[in-house]
Amino acid sequence: MNIFPDAKILEVNLSTSIITTRLLSGEIYRLYPGGSALGVYLLLQEMEPENDALSPANTLIFTVSPLTGLPISGSSRLNITAKGPLTGAIGDSQSGGFFPAHLKLNGWDAVVFRGRAERPVYLYINGDEAVLRDAQNVWGKVTGEAEAIIRTEIGVNDLEIAQIGPGGENLVKYACIINQCTRANGRTGMGAVMGSKNLKAVVLKKGKPTKAYDVDKFKELATSVKTRLVENEAVAGLGKYGTDGDLEGFNNEGFLATNNWTAGHLVEGANNITGTTMYETILKNRDTCFACAVRCKRVVEIPGVVDPLYGGPEYETCAAFGSYCGVTDLETVALCNQLCNMYGLDTISCGATIAFAMECYEKGLITREDTDGLELNFGNHRALPILVEKIAKREGFGRLLAEGSLRAALQIGQDAIELSISVKGLELPAHMPQFKPAVGLIYAVNSFGADHQSSEHDGFLVLPPDSRERQRLAQIGIWKGYDNSYELDAEKVRFALASQKYFSILDSLCLCQFVWGPSWELYGPTDLIDLCKYGLGWDTSLYELMLVGERRINMMRYFNAKAGFTKEDDQLPKRLFEAFNDGPSKGVQLDKAAFEKAKERYYELAGWDTKTGSPTEATLIGLSLDWLLEKDLTWS
Amino acid sequence: MNIFPDAKILEVNLSTSIITTRLLSGEIYRLYPGGSALGVYLLLQEMEPENDALSPANTLIFTVSPLTGLPISGSSRLNITAKGPLTGAIGDSQSGGFFPAHLKLNGWDAVVFRGRAERPVYLYINGDEAVLRDAQNVWGKVTGEAEAIIRTEIGVNDLEIAQIGPGGENLVKYACIINQCTRANGRTGMGAVMGSKNLKAVVLKKGKPTKAYDVDKFKELATSVKTRLVENEAVAGLGKYGTDGDLEGFNNEGFLATNNWTAGHLVEGANNITGTTMYETILKNRDTCFACAVRCKRVVEIPGVVDPLYGGPEYETCAAFGSYCGVTDLETVALCNQLCNMYGLDTISCGATIAFAMECYEKGLITREDTDGLELNFGNHRALPILVEKIAKREGFGRLLAEGSLRAALQIGQDAIELSISVKGLELPAHMPQFKPAVGLIYAVNSFGADHQSSEHDGFLVLPPDSRERQRLAQIGIWKGYDNSYELDAEKVRFALASQKYFSILDSLCLCQFVWGPSWELYGPTDLIDLCKYGLGWDTSLYELMLVGERRINMMRYFNAKAGFTKEDDQLPKRLFEAFNDGPSKGVQLDKAAFEKAKERYYELAGWDTKTGSPTEATLIGLSLDWLLEKDLTWS
C-alpha cells in the first residue's frame, strides 16, 4: 500500500547563506500535494502576510508536485508563490518548460528562499547538492546573455535555468521569472520578489528520468493521452496556431479588449496579429514542454529584429501589446514579447500598463512632458518597444509605468484611477467579462487578482448537453446549458466556483490546463485520477482533489485577509458595466446588479463571510485548516 | 456519448385507482439518481411536509436506481420514502432481496402511491402493465400466508412480493414493509403509511435480465468484486456469522446496549445470542440477495417454533430483543424476529420499545395493571413474543407500545420520557455513541432519527494509516488516526459528515453498504465510479456523487424544517452522557460539552444555520436545490 510520499524541501536562507533540507511528511503533503497549494501552505508558515512584499521578510517559494517529472503530456509546470509586490496580496504564477520536470528529477518538491543576499547570487542545484554562487557577472544582463554566461561558468551544458532579467533586478512590480528564456512565471511580480532578494537565477543540472509507480499502466495512459492529443482537431489547432488562434474569433464576436478596454474589437488590422497570420509569416518553429505532445509554444523569427531564442507571443501578449494598445503590427508585438522575455517582464501587465498610459495621454491626463516626449496615442506601435525598455530599466517615464497601472494612476491623479483596468492592481488578461461573466466573477474574487486561468470559461456551457466537455462539467456538478454565455445566474456562480476548484487542483498538481483541464474534449477527472494512481500509486478521488483545490483557494484568501484585503477589493473596473458603443457586440455590457448579486452568492457558496469576504471559521475547519485558527484564535 | 437515462415512474393514485406513467428527464434524474435521493425529491413535490403521515396526503414512494438489476454483488436495494408516522419527520428505509432488482427489471425506477384506497388493494406489476387488485383475501393475514394466497390468486410462481403484515394494517407506528417474508424496509414506519393507504402489497412478475452498458468491462468488474468478496476474511466472517458476528466483541468491550441502555454489557449469557452460537445451533441456511456473493442473510429453524420461511435475526434484532431487554435466550430472539417478519414490524423499534416498557415497569412507572398482567422485568424472555403479538394486533398493552417508546412515554408520564432511548422518536440501533461518538452525532442530526447506517463507524479511524480502509477514508477527505474511537474533535465531525455523504450516495444508488461501503477493505469509490461507468455508461466522479449524497441529506433536512423540526430535535438521550457503572467500559461516557460543540460544528460544516439547524439558502443553492427556494421564498 503506497502512502503519499514526503515532500523534500530545499530551504535557502539568502541572508545567512545557510542551505538546509527538510521533509514534510506525506500525511500533511497529501493535503497540499504540490504546486500552488504547497506554496501557499509553506508561505503561511514562513511569513506574516502584513510584511512588505519586497522586504527580506517575504519568502519566495518554487514548487512542483509528486507527479512532476513523469513522462506524460502537460505535466511539467513550475509554481512560484510569494507575497505579490504588484498587489500586496498573495502572489501566484505558473510556467512550463523543462525546468519544472528537472527540479523534481533532482529530487526536490520545493525550494524556499528566505531573506536577502548581500550581493547578487544564483543557486545551483545538482541532485542533493545545492550551492549559492556569485552572480555579479550576470547581474544586469538580459536573460539570453545570462544563460550563456552561466552555462560557461558552470561548464556544463545540460542545465535548466530560471532567472530574472533586469526588470526583476530593478524591482519592476510586474517583473517575471523566466526559464529557457521563453517560459514565464509571468504574473503578480514574482520576479521583483526574486530581485529584492538579490537572487538572479536558479540553475539546475538536468536530473535523471524517474519511474512511474505502475510502469505499464502509466505508459498505457501516457500513450493514450498522447494519441488522443495528436488525433484531436482542437489540439491540432492549438499546436498549429498557438493560443493566439483565439484572437480572430474574439475580434469577430466583439470581445477582443481594444484600446485599453474602451472597445471590444479592432476595426481594422486584427488580421495582422492573428495566430493564423503568425503561423503564415514569422513562425519558425513550434516549441514543446517536457514530454508534451501538444507543442503549442511559438518560436518566431524576424531577422535583425526578433531572435528565435526568445520564443514567440502567446494570445495574451498579442492582445496586450496589440489590441489593448490599438496596435496591429505583428513585428511590434513579437519584438515586445522578446523584450519582455529578455528583461523579465509580464507581457500582460506590461502591455496593459502601456495601454492605460495611452488612454491617460489621449484624455490629457498626461502629456509629452510626462512621457519623455513620446506621443502615446492608441495605435502608435513605435512607442511600445521604447517603453518596454524604459520600464525594465526604470528610466524616465518608465519609472512610473514600472509600478503597474494602478499605482501609476494613483500618482497621475483621481481621474486616472478608473482607467487602470485591473483587479487588486493586477491588470486584466484578454478575456472580456461582458462575454464571459463567470470568468469576470473569478477575476473579481480571485485572491491574486484578475486571472483567466483560475476557472473554466463560460463558453463551454453553450456546447450541446451530450458533448464531452459538458459531461465533464457534470463531473464537477454543473448541468445547466445556455443559449449564449452572457448570462450570470446561480448556476453560473456554481460553475465559476466549481471550475475554480478544479483549476486549483491543476495548479497544485502542476498540470497544464491545456492538457488536463476540462476545456478540451479529451480529458477529464477520470484521466486525472488514473494519472495519480498509475503515476504515483495514489488512489485518490475527485472529491479529495476538489478539497485540495478548495483548500488552496481558502488559504490564499486567508493570506489576503491577514494582509488587509476585504470584499471591497473584489471590484471589477467600472468600464465593464458600460455597453459597447459599436461593433459586433454593440450594446452588450456586464449587468452591474446581476454581477454584485453573483458575487454575494459566490461568497456564500464559497463559505466566506458576506460582510468581510473572508473564509468563515467553519469553512477553514471543514477544509482541515484548523491550524490557521490555532495560529490566530481571534480569527472569525 | 451516454446521457443519463430518464427515470420511468409509475404513479398510482389509490383514491381514484388511476395509474399513470411519467418520465423524469435524465438531466434532472442525474441530480437525484435513484433511491433515497429520488424518493425525497419526489416526495417534496408530492406533499406539504406539514401534512399528517397517516393521512391520504402522505405519499409512499418506492425507488430503485439506474444501477439496480445489474448482476453484481450488493446492488439490489429497495428504498422507501414517505413522511414517517413514528417521528413526523421524513421517513426513509432500505431493504435487500430480489424485489428491488425485479422492480427495475420490470422497467421501473420508482412507484409513487398517492391517496388512500377505499378498500384494501394490492398492486400487480407485470412489465409495463400495472393493476390494482382487491386485497380483501389477504388483509389481516401474516406475510407468509399472504404471499401464498397472492401466488395462488395470480397463478404465477415467479413473483416478488413486498407487503405489510397486520402491523402495518393496524398502523403500528413502526410497522415495516417486508419482501420475501425476510427483507424489511424496517425503520421509520413505512409499513404504517402503506397500511393507512389500504395498500397490502406490491407484487412483481419477475423481470428479464438486463445488460450493462459495457458488457465486458462490467463482467470483469463483477467478477473482480465477487472474487475479492469471496477471498476476503472479514466478508467470509459476515457470510458465516451474519451481522450478529459483531455482538460478542461489542459485549466484551462493554458497548453492547443492555437493559434499555442502562448498561454496556450483559453480565451473563451473551454467548447464547452471538453469531457464532447461532451458526452452531439453529442456523439452517444462508440466504442471499439478487446476484450477491456475500450471503449474509440468516435462515434459522427451530422445529415447531421457528420456521425458516421467515429467515433469521440480524445483529440489531439480537440486540433489541436480546441485550436491550436483558434477554439471552436465542429461541426467544429468533421467535420475535419471526413474529416481526410475520406481522411486519421493525425489530429494532419493537424490541427497544419493549425494553423501554421493561424499565418503566422496573421503575414502577407502569404496573401489572397496565401490562395486562405481564411481569415486565428485564430478562423476562417469555413476555417478549406475547408483547410482539399484542403490538401487531394493537391489543391491550400492545396498543400503547404500538405507538413507539416516545409516544408511549408521553402517555405514561414525565418520568418515562428520558427512558425512551430515541432521537426524534426513532429508537436507537445497537451501536453505542459512547464508543462511537461520530455515529452518535449522526444519530442526533440525521433527519429521520437515530440510524446506524447513515455514516461510517468510528472504529475505522483506529486502523493503521496504511490500511486500505484508512486510504479509502482519505478519498473522502479524512486523514487523522486515533488511538481509540472515543474522541470527538473537529476531525471526527468532518469524518461524520463526509462519511454520511458517502453513505447517502449508497442509499441513493441503492447499493449495499456491506459491499460498497468503505467499511470493508475491499471496495472504495474507485469501484463505485467503475460500476457507474461500465454498468450505465455514466462517466461520473466521486465529487458529483458526494454532491448527490449531500443533496439528499439537505432535501431531507429541508423537509423536516417544513414539518416543524428544529435543532432542538437533535438531542441524544440523557443516559448516554452518564458514565457506565461497571463492566469493561466502566467510567466511559459521552462528553456532553464535547458533543454539543461537535453538533454545532456539524451544523456549520454542513452549511446549516446554527440557530435553526436548517440548511441555509446558500447551501441549498450550492447544491442546485434552487427550486426549493422558488417554492417558498420566505425560506431563509
Side-chain angles (χ1 to χ4, degrees):
Chain A
M1 176 58 52
N2 178 287
I3 303 292
F4 205 82
D6 295 340
K8 194 173 158 197
I9 302 173
L10 185 66
E11 298 181 317
V12 181
N13 188 322
L14 292 163
S15 301
T16 63
S17 300
I18 293 173
I19 298 178
T20 48
T21 297
R22 80 168 170 114
L23 293 180
L24 178 72
S25 90
E27 198 171 279
I28 296 173
Y29 194 16
R30 185 170 178 159
L31 288 160
Y32 323 95
S36 181
L38 179 61
V40 187
Y41 171 74
L42 293 174
L43 187 67
L44 279 166
Q45 297 178 331
E46 288 286 333
M47 78 175 291
E48 295 301 330
E50 53 266 34
N51 282 321
D52 186 76
L54 297 180
S55 77
N58 199 358
T59 304
L60 182 74
I61 303 173
F62 286 36
T63 47
V64 289
S65 94
L67 295 167
T68 314
L70 289 169
I72 191 166
S73 293
S75 68
S76 180
R77 301 283 294 173
L78 171 70
N79 181 87
I80 299 181
T81 304
K83 179 166 177 171
L86 184 63
T87 56
I90 183 81
D92 186 82
S93 74
Q94 288 81 37
S95 69
F98 288 74
F99 183 98
H102 286 285
L103 180 58
K104 179 67 185 173
L105 294 177
N106 270 289
W108 301 103
D109 294 85
V111 187
V112 171
F113 295 99
R114 299 184 186 124
R116 170 184 288 160
E118 213 172 309
R119 272 182 289 271
V121 293
Y122 65 85
L123 180 74
Y124 176 51
I125 296 175
N126 181 357
D128 281 346
E129 286 171 47
V131 290
L132 286 170
R133 299 179 58 135
D134 190 306
Q136 301 280 13
N137 289 341
V138 284
W139 197 258
K141 298 284 188 293
V142 298
T143 54
E145 285 178 51
E147 273 229 359
I149 295 169
I150 289 170
R151 280 178 202 282
T152 309
E153 269 187 16
I154 296 182
V156 169
N157 234 333
D158 55 344
L159 297 177
E160 289 298 333
I161 300 171
Q163 61 172 318
I164 55 170
E169 296 171 16
N170 295 324
L171 310 181
V172 174
K173 291 286 195 302
Y174 44 86
C176 65
I177 297 170
I178 295 258
N179 76 76
Q180 259 180 283
C181 297
T182 49
R183 309 312 209 281
N185 284 80
R187 309 230 67 195
T188 71
M190 296 296 94
V193 176
M194 192 156 160
S196 77
K197 298 195 169 305
N198 272 326
L199 178 66
K200 176 69 176 177
V202 179
V203 182
L204 305 173
K205 177 119 169 36
K206 285 192 184 176
K208 293 200 181 64
T210 188
K211 265 192 185 166
Y213 174 82
D214 184 331
V215 175
D216 292 340
K217 290 266 197 184
F218 179 83
K219 203 169 173 181
E220 204 178 294
L221 176 69
T223 307
S224 152
V225 165
K226 187 177 172 179
T227 308
R228 283 180 282 167
L229 282 170
V230 168
E231 288 175 356
N232 183 264
E233 207 177 313
V235 174
L238 176 67
K240 190 169 177 184
Y241 300 115
T243 51
D244 193 35
D246 280 344
L247 189 141
E248 188 172 355
F250 287 169
N251 192 56
N252 291 344
E253 291 181 85
F255 296 105
L256 179 67
T258 299
N259 294 357
N260 199 36
W261 292 66
T262 54
H265 78 303
L266 285 160
V267 179
E268 277 179 20
N271 191 48
N272 299 339
I273 55 170
T274 63
T276 311
T277 300
M278 200 191 317
Y279 175 79
E280 289 169 353
T281 57
I282 63 174
L283 191 75
K284 184 189 154 88
N285 207 346
R286 287 165 46 198
D287 195 9
T288 184
C289 296
F290 175 85
C292 190
V294 179
R295 307 187 70 86
C296 68
K297 289 295 293 178
R298 305 292 88 180
V299 180
V300 301
E301 182 171 22
I302 305 175
V305 181
V306 174
D307 183 341
L309 177 68
Y310 293 103
E314 299 282 346
Y315 162 67
E316 289 295 339
T317 309
C318 293
F321 287 108
S323 59
Y324 280 25
C325 297
V327 164
T328 56
D329 181 67
L330 185 58
E331 187 171 310
T332 298
V333 168
L335 177 59
C336 288
N337 178 69
Q338 167 166 316
L339 290 171
C340 283
N341 286 356
M342 288 169 71
Y343 289 111
L345 299 178
D346 174 30
T347 59
I348 300 176
S349 282
C350 189
T353 299
I354 294 171
F356 153 81
M358 285 176 154
E359 192 179 354
C360 287
Y361 184 85
E362 294 220 340
K363 287 211 156 61
L365 302 177
I366 53 175
T367 65
R368 286 176 64 169
E369 266 178 49
D370 304 297
T371 64
D372 309 335
L374 284 172
E375 278 188 25
L376 271 193
N377 297 95
F378 286 124
N380 178 11
H381 66 273
R382 285 188 189 83
L384 266 49
I386 299 167
L387 279 176
V388 176
E389 294 226 27
K390 279 178 181 285
I391 289 168
K393 296 175 178 167
R394 279 194 178 266
E395 285 175 1
F397 187 51
R399 203 172 290 135
L400 181 67
L401 299 192
E403 294 295 299
S405 62
L406 184 60
R407 279 190 173 78
L410 290 167
Q411 289 188 44
I412 292 168
Q414 190 60 35
D415 291 348
I417 293 174
E418 71 178 60
L419 310 189
S420 167
I421 306 305
S422 62
V423 176
K424 301 181 180 67
L426 186 69
E427 287 77 11
L428 265 60
H431 295 266
M432 300 193 91
Q434 298 94 325
F435 178 48
K436 300 176 174 180
V439 171
L441 177 60
I442 298 300
Y443 280 180
V445 300
N446 186 46
S447 287
F448 58 87
D451 184 54
H452 60 298
Q453 297 195 287
S454 288
S455 63
E456 194 45 275
H457 291 204
D458 305 53
F460 292 97
L461 295 170
V462 183
L463 297 169
D466 63 346
S467 64
R468 203 172 267 268
E469 293 91 332
R470 289 284 304 284
Q471 292 289 304
R472 291 285 159 70
L473 287 172
Q475 294 186 335
I476 56 171
I478 304 303
W479 279 260
K480 191 180 159 185
Y482 293 83
D483 292 332
N484 65 52
S485 58
Y486 314 165
E487 255 182 79
L488 188 51
D489 57 9
E491 183 76 346
K492 272 285 181 80
V493 179
R494 286 191 285 263
F495 163 74
L497 178 59
S499 76
Q500 186 189 19
K501 290 180 197 171
Y502 192 80
F503 277 61
S504 183
I505 300 170
L506 299 181
D507 284 344
S508 299
L509 295 178
C510 295
L511 296 172
C512 178
Q513 298 174 2
F514 287 140
V515 173
W516 297 96
S519 322
W520 299 100
E521 57 175 304
L522 292 165
Y523 299 96
T526 314
D527 296 294
L528 187 55
I529 304 300
D530 284 350
L531 174 61
C532 294
K533 195 166 173 185
Y534 304 142
L536 199 61
W538 181 22
D539 195 8
T540 187
S541 70
L542 186 62
Y543 187 75
E544 180 177 6
L545 295 182
M546 289 291 269
L547 286 179
V548 165
E550 200 177 346
R551 199 174 284 124
R552 163 183 172 270
I553 293 165
N554 279 279
M555 285 191 294
M556 288 182 153
R557 194 77 184 182
Y558 174 90
F559 183 98
N560 272 15
K562 302 295 282 181
F565 283 76
T566 70
K567 64 182 283 194
E568 298 311 318
D569 297 294
D570 295 342
Q571 308 288 351
L572 284 185
K574 200 176 139 199
R575 180 158 297 170
L576 309 187
F577 302 106
E578 293 158 9
F580 290 113
N581 287 328
D582 51 28
S585 55
K586 185 176 174 179
V588 177
Q589 68 182 85
L590 194 55
D591 184 85
K592 176 79 175 165
F595 184 78
E596 291 300 326
K597 193 173 166 188
K599 208 165 65 177
E600 204 76 4
R601 207 51 105 193
Y602 175 95
Y603 296 139
E604 290 173 1
L605 300 194
W608 297 353
D609 187 316
T610 50
K611 287 192 201 73
T612 64
S614 298
T616 65
E617 192 176 300
T619 299
L620 295 177
I621 292 173
L623 293 168
S624 305
L625 294 173
D626 316 36
W627 57 276
L628 288 173
L629 302 172
E630 282 162 28
K631 191 175 167 187
D632 179 4
L633 290 169
T634 61
W635 175 264
S636 71
Chain B
M1 176 59 52
N2 178 288
I3 303 294
F4 205 82
D6 295 340
K8 195 174 157 196
I9 302 172
L10 185 65
E11 297 180 318
V12 181
N13 188 323
L14 292 164
S15 301
T16 62
S17 301
I18 292 173
I19 298 178
T20 48
T21 296
R22 80 168 169 115
L23 293 180
L24 179 72
S25 89
E27 197 171 279
I28 296 173
Y29 194 18
R30 185 169 179 161
L31 287 160
Y32 323 95
S36 181
L38 179 62
V40 187
Y41 170 75
L42 294 174
L43 187 67
L44 279 166
Q45 296 178 331
E46 288 285 334
M47 77 175 290
E48 295 300 328
E50 54 266 33
N51 281 324
D52 186 73
L54 296 179
S55 77
N58 199 358
T59 304
L60 182 73
I61 303 173
F62 286 37
T63 47
V64 288
S65 93
L67 295 167
T68 314
L70 289 168
I72 191 165
S73 293
S75 69
S76 180
R77 301 282 294 171
L78 171 70
N79 181 88
I80 299 181
T81 304
K83 179 167 179 171
L86 184 62
T87 57
I90 183 81
D92 186 82
S93 74
Q94 289 79 36
S95 69
F98 287 75
F99 184 97
H102 286 286
L103 180 57
K104 179 67 185 173
L105 295 177
N106 270 289
W108 301 103
D109 294 87
V111 187
V112 172
F113 295 100
R114 300 184 187 127
R116 172 184 286 160
E118 213 172 310
R119 271 180 290 269
V121 293
Y122 64 85
L123 180 73
Y124 176 52
I125 295 175
N126 182 357
D128 281 346
E129 285 171 49
V131 289
L132 287 169
R133 299 180 58 132
D134 190 306
Q136 302 280 13
N137 289 340
V138 285
W139 198 257
K141 297 286 188 290
V142 299
T143 53
E145 286 179 51
E147 273 229 358
I149 294 168
I150 289 170
R151 280 179 202 285
T152 310
E153 271 189 14
I154 297 185
V156 169
N157 235 333
D158 55 344
L159 297 178
E160 290 297 335
I161 300 171
Q163 60 171 319
I164 54 170
E169 296 171 16
N170 295 324
L171 309 181
V172 175
K173 291 285 195 302
Y174 45 85
C176 65
I177 297 169
I178 295 257
N179 75 77
Q180 258 181 284
C181 294
T182 49
R183 308 312 208 281
N185 283 78
R187 309 230 68 195
T188 70
M190 297 296 95
V193 177
M194 192 155 157
S196 77
K197 298 196 169 304
N198 273 326
L199 178 66
K200 177 68 177 176
V202 179
V203 182
L204 305 173
K205 178 115 168 41
K206 286 193 184 174
K208 295 201 178 65
T210 186
K211 266 193 185 166
Y213 174 80
D214 182 332
V215 175
D216 293 340
K217 291 264 196 184
F218 180 83
K219 204 169 174 184
E220 205 177 295
L221 175 69
T223 306
S224 153
V225 165
K226 188 177 172 179
T227 308
R228 284 180 281 168
L229 283 170
V230 168
E231 288 174 356
N232 183 262
E233 209 177 310
V235 174
L238 176 67
K240 189 167 178 185
Y241 300 115
T243 51
D244 193 34
D246 280 344
L247 190 141
E248 188 172 356
F250 287 169
N251 193 56
N252 290 343
E253 293 182 80
F255 296 106
L256 179 67
T258 300
N259 294 357
N260 199 36
W261 292 66
T262 54
H265 79 303
L266 285 160
V267 179
E268 277 178 18
N271 191 47
N272 299 339
I273 56 170
T274 63
T276 311
T277 301
M278 199 191 316
Y279 175 79
E280 289 168 351
T281 58
I282 63 175
L283 191 75
K284 185 190 153 91
N285 207 346
R286 287 165 46 199
D287 195 9
T288 185
C289 297
F290 175 86
C292 190
V294 179
R295 305 186 71 86
C296 69
K297 289 296 293 179
R298 307 291 85 182
V299 180
V300 302
E301 181 170 23
I302 306 174
V305 182
V306 174
D307 184 341
L309 178 68
Y310 292 103
E314 299 282 347
Y315 161 67
E316 289 295 338
T317 309
C318 293
F321 286 108
S323 59
Y324 280 25
C325 296
V327 164
T328 57
D329 182 66
L330 185 58
E331 187 172 311
T332 298
V333 169
L335 177 58
C336 288
N337 178 69
Q338 167 166 318
L339 290 171
C340 282
N341 286 355
M342 288 169 72
Y343 290 110
L345 299 178
D346 173 32
T347 60
I348 301 176
S349 283
C350 189
T353 299
I354 294 171
F356 153 82
M358 286 175 153
E359 192 179 356
C360 288
Y361 185 85
E362 293 220 339
K363 287 213 157 62
L365 302 178
I366 54 174
T367 66
R368 287 176 63 169
E369 267 180 49
D370 303 297
T371 65
D372 309 335
L374 285 171
E375 279 189 23
L376 271 195
N377 299 95
F378 285 124
N380 179 10
H381 67 272
R382 282 186 193 83
L384 265 49
I386 298 167
L387 280 176
V388 176
E389 295 227 25
K390 279 177 180 286
I391 289 167
K393 295 174 179 166
R394 278 195 180 263
E395 285 175 359
F397 185 50
R399 205 172 291 134
L400 182 67
L401 300 191
E403 293 296 299
S405 63
L406 184 61
R407 279 190 172 78
L410 291 167
Q411 289 188 44
I412 292 167
Q414 190 61 36
D415 292 347
I417 293 173
E418 71 178 61
L419 310 188
S420 166
I421 309 302
S422 61
V423 176
K424 301 182 181 68
L426 186 69
E427 288 76 14
L428 265 61
H431 296 266
M432 301 193 88
Q434 298 94 325
F435 179 48
K436 301 176 174 179
V439 172
L441 177 60
I442 297 300
Y443 281 0
V445 300
N446 186 46
S447 288
F448 58 88
D451 184 54
H452 61 299
Q453 298 195 286
S454 287
S455 62
E456 193 45 276
H457 291 204
D458 305 54
F460 293 98
L461 296 170
V462 183
L463 297 170
D466 63 347
S467 64
R468 203 172 267 267
E469 294 91 332
R470 288 284 304 285
Q471 293 287 305
R472 291 285 158 70
L473 288 172
Q475 295 185 335
I476 56 171
I478 304 302
W479 280 259
K480 190 179 159 186
Y482 294 83
D483 292 332
N484 64 54
S485 58
Y486 313 167
E487 256 182 79
L488 188 52
D489 57 9
E491 183 76 345
K492 271 285 181 80
V493 179
R494 286 190 285 262
F495 163 74
L497 179 59
S499 76
Q500 186 188 21
K501 289 181 198 171
Y502 192 79
F503 278 60
S504 184
I505 299 169
L506 299 181
D507 284 345
S508 299
L509 295 178
C510 295
L511 296 171
C512 179
Q513 299 173 2
F514 287 140
V515 173
W516 297 98
S519 322
W520 299 101
E521 57 175 304
L522 292 165
Y523 298 96
T526 314
D527 296 294
L528 188 54
I529 304 300
D530 283 350
L531 173 60
C532 294
K533 195 166 171 182
Y534 305 141
L536 200 61
W538 182 23
D539 195 9
T540 186
S541 71
L542 186 62
Y543 187 76
E544 179 176 7
L545 294 181
M546 289 291 269
L547 287 180
V548 165
E550 199 177 347
R551 198 172 287 125
R552 164 183 171 268
I553 293 165
N554 280 279
M555 285 191 293
M556 287 183 154
R557 194 77 185 183
Y558 174 90
F559 183 98
N560 272 15
K562 303 294 284 180
F565 284 76
T566 69
K567 63 182 284 195
E568 300 310 318
D569 298 294
D570 294 342
Q571 308 288 350
L572 285 185
K574 200 177 138 198
R575 180 158 295 173
L576 308 187
F577 302 106
E578 294 158 7
F580 290 114
N581 288 327
D582 52 27
S585 54
K586 186 177 174 179
V588 177
Q589 68 183 85
L590 193 57
D591 184 84
K592 177 77 177 165
F595 184 78
E596 290 300 326
K597 193 172 165 186
K599 209 166 64 179
E600 203 76 5
R601 207 52 104 193
Y602 175 94
Y603 296 140
E604 288 173 4
L605 300 194
W608 296 353
D609 187 316
T610 51
K611 288 192 202 73
T612 63
S614 298
T616 64
E617 192 176 301
T619 300
L620 296 177
I621 292 173
L623 293 167
S624 306
L625 294 172
D626 317 35
W627 58 276
L628 287 173
L629 302 172
E630 280 162 30
K631 192 175 167 186
D632 180 2
L633 290 169
T634 61
W635 175 265
S636 71

